[in-house]
Amino acid sequence: MRVLFTTLAANAHLYNLVPMAWALRAAGHDVRIAAQPDLTDAIVHTGLPAVPTGPALDLAGLSRKAQERPAAKTVFGSEFDVTEMRPERLTLDYVRGVFTTWCSFGLERLAQDAVLDDVVGFARAWRPDLVIWDALTYMGPIAARASGAAHVRMLFGLDHWARMRALFTELGGTGGADPMAEWLSGKLARYGCTFDEELVLGQRTLDPLPPWTRFPTGVDYLPVRHVPYNGPSVVPSWLSEPPARRRVCVTLGMSRRDLWGADRFSADDLFDAVAGLDIEVIATLTARQASAASAVPENVRLFDFVPLDALLPTCAAVIHHGGAGTTGNAVVHGVPQLVIPGNMWDKAGLADLLAEQGAGLVMEHEQVTAEQLRAQLVRLLDEPSFAVSAEKVRAQVAETPTPAQVVPTLERLAL
């Protein structure tokens, strides 16, 4: 079987796909990963073949421009937020505005005609049996339809897209102007294909998040266990020795520092918060982030990068920005989490759901002071309920089928 993966040029989205891609490869299937050329090196480093498509995306440049806008919390400065949950805001006009904004700017930038032409051209020549597409990369289902392949969407976080689509249908939106259908129809017509609703959410949806994160959307979800992939890495020798004190990991995530730059809290606040505590802090900070602090306490060790999959099993807690990859790593290893969520897609919502499970605490970045950070970290470390709940969540995730166990289902779909 030939399987084509599609993703946007962002490491976090690629890393989410890699375990599934390798499970298929290990089962004897031929795998390719298509993305803009600024992701080619990262794909090659996974050991899988890359298919560069279209011009570079330069997501870091787009993110910086978006951050400069007053309404940077929402997509491209728009008032329409795909993560909006307040019922009083979710009118038909608002939901239609979400789809209009995302199709006109967000999805369009990820599926420009030059990108689509390359992906569709490759798919028609290579003839994949199955296309697995990152949930933001509509070049995937378009290429699948144009080449006659089955196609499966893979989530990278909370499924706000399906939630909004279900709301749009419930509010009667499909009886009037439908920005999603119109945008996809225009793209499909380029290749002599027509739109149907299957193209919006895929024939199945691979969901690597725990079941308590799932919205009641009616989508045909195919649960798959999150398997951490942290990119090319070397496990440092000191991780082989048990820590002398309780160990706490601090990470702001690779995506955040690569794409957005700004931190959710200052290094000084972090260091003041942990100074004097009987713990060992492993802080994965860049030289710029570390140099912003006036002093580094004796119980803090600084590293530019340590693979979380190797580090977290030795930790009693982790402080992070709320990214799905970091959250997934911590959940898999049963580590209590203190989350200061960023403003990208689902971070705040995912953190709140984790806190509802009792496996972590959430702090709004506007409220972060050294004193508050210290108090919340001490709670996380000293109150046994957080470790108990984190272990319960870990055990629940361990019961989810692995990527290898999901392969036969995907094979049947592609027949």
Side-chain angles (χ1 to χ4, degrees), residues 8-11 38 56-68 254-261 344:
L8 67 149
N11 283 359
D38 31 343
L57 178 61
D58 186 22
L59 193 58
L62 292 174
S63 298
R64 285 191 295 270
K65 290 177 183 176
Q67 197 176 26
E68 292 167 0
M254 297 297 292
S255 295
R256 176 155 197 96
R257 72 189 196 183
D258 290 347
L259 300 180
W260 292 83
M344 296 169 67

Side-chain angles (χ1 to χ4, degrees), residues 330-348:
V331 164
V332 163
H333 293 297
V335 182
Q337 306 176 49
L338 175 53
V339 186
I340 305 166
N343 56 4
M344 296 169 67
W345 192 265
D346 64 347
K347 289 180 172 50

Side-chain angles (χ1 to χ4, degrees), residues 3-352:
V3 186
L4 175 63
F5 283 77
T6 65
T7 183
L8 67 149
N11 283 359
H13 288 253
L14 169 65
Y15 291 0
N16 181 55
L17 300 174
V18 168
M20 192 70 251
W22 262 112
L24 284 157
R25 187 72 188 94
H29 300 299
D30 204 354
V31 174
R32 301 284 188 275
I33 302 181
Q36 292 90 351
D38 31 343
L39 195 67
T40 298
D41 286 348
I43 296 172
V44 170
H45 279 103
T46 71
L48 295 163
V51 179
T53 59
L57 178 61
D58 186 22
L59 193 58
L62 292 174
S63 298
R64 285 191 295 270
K65 290 177 183 176
Q67 197 176 26
E68 292 167 0
R69 295 185 175 92
K73 179 181 178 182
T74 57
V75 63
F76 305 112
S78 165
E79 65 180 287
F80 299 106
D81 183 358
V82 72
T83 69
E84 179 61 66
M85 297 286 287
R86 292 168 292 181
E88 67 274 15
R89 293 273 289 168
L90 293 172
T91 63
L92 177 56
D93 285 344
Y94 186 93
V95 176
R96 183 176 281 121
V98 168
F99 284 111
T100 299
T101 300
W102 271 90
C103 290
S104 300
F105 298 100
L107 300 184
E108 179 63 30
R109 288 181 178 178
L110 300 177
Q112 300 175 49
D113 288 345
V115 173
L116 280 176
D117 286 347
D118 284 351
V119 176
V120 170
F122 175 79
R124 283 179 164 172
W126 194 57
R127 307 299 297 180
D129 301 287
L130 175 66
V131 176
I132 298 179
W133 48 286
D134 170 90
L136 281 182
T137 55
Y138 276 87
M139 56 182 169
I142 293 170
R145 178 59 54 88
S147 63
H151 63 99
V152 172
R153 187 175 61 126
M154 186 159 185
L155 299 182
F156 57 86
L158 298 181
D159 200 1
H160 285 294
W161 199 250
R163 180 181 62 84
M164 280 289 178
R165 192 64 182 172
L167 271 173
F168 185 70
T169 301
E170 180 184 323
L171 294 168
T174 53
D178 186 342
M180 189 75 209
E182 292 165 8
W183 180 77
L184 273 171
S185 293
K187 296 295 184 182
L188 289 158
R190 188 176 178 87
Y191 310 106
C193 302
T194 57
F195 169 82
D196 60 54
E197 192 66 21
E198 180 187 272
L199 291 160
V200 178
L201 301 175
Q203 293 171 314
R204 297 291 301 270
T205 293
L206 284 161
D207 186 1
L209 272 69
W212 39 266
T213 66
R214 208 164 292 148
F215 300 120
T217 61
V219 169
D220 188 6
Y221 290 111
L222 180 57
V224 60
R225 189 184 309 174
H226 175 80
V227 175
Y229 174 74
N230 303 148
S233 55
V234 175
V235 178
S237 59
W238 53 264
L239 276 177
S240 301
E241 300 294 329
R245 296 181 282 184
R246 289 181 297 179
R247 179 175 285 162
V248 175
C249 169
V250 177
T251 175
L252 300 180
M254 297 297 292
S255 295
R256 176 155 197 96
R257 72 189 196 183
D258 290 347
L259 300 180
W260 292 83
D263 298 330
R264 304 305 285 172
F265 53 90
S266 74
D268 267 332
D269 282 342
L270 166 66
F271 294 158
D272 288 348
V274 301
L277 292 178
D278 187 23
I279 60 175
E280 177 193 54
V281 177
I282 305 298
T284 59
L285 303 177
T286 64
R288 177 193 62 78
Q289 291 168 325
S291 65
S294 54
V296 179
E298 59 81 24
N299 62 343
V300 174
R301 301 172 66 185
L302 299 177
F303 297 90
D304 181 70
F305 173 77
V306 181
L308 290 181
D309 193 33
L311 172 61
L312 288 180
T314 72
C315 292
V318 57
I319 303 172
H320 66 93
H321 65 305
T326 305
T327 301
N329 273 264
V331 164
V332 163
H333 293 297
V335 182
Q337 306 176 49
L338 175 53
V339 186
I340 305 166
N343 56 4
M344 296 169 67
W345 192 265
D346 64 347
K347 289 180 172 50
L350 186 56
D352 288 341

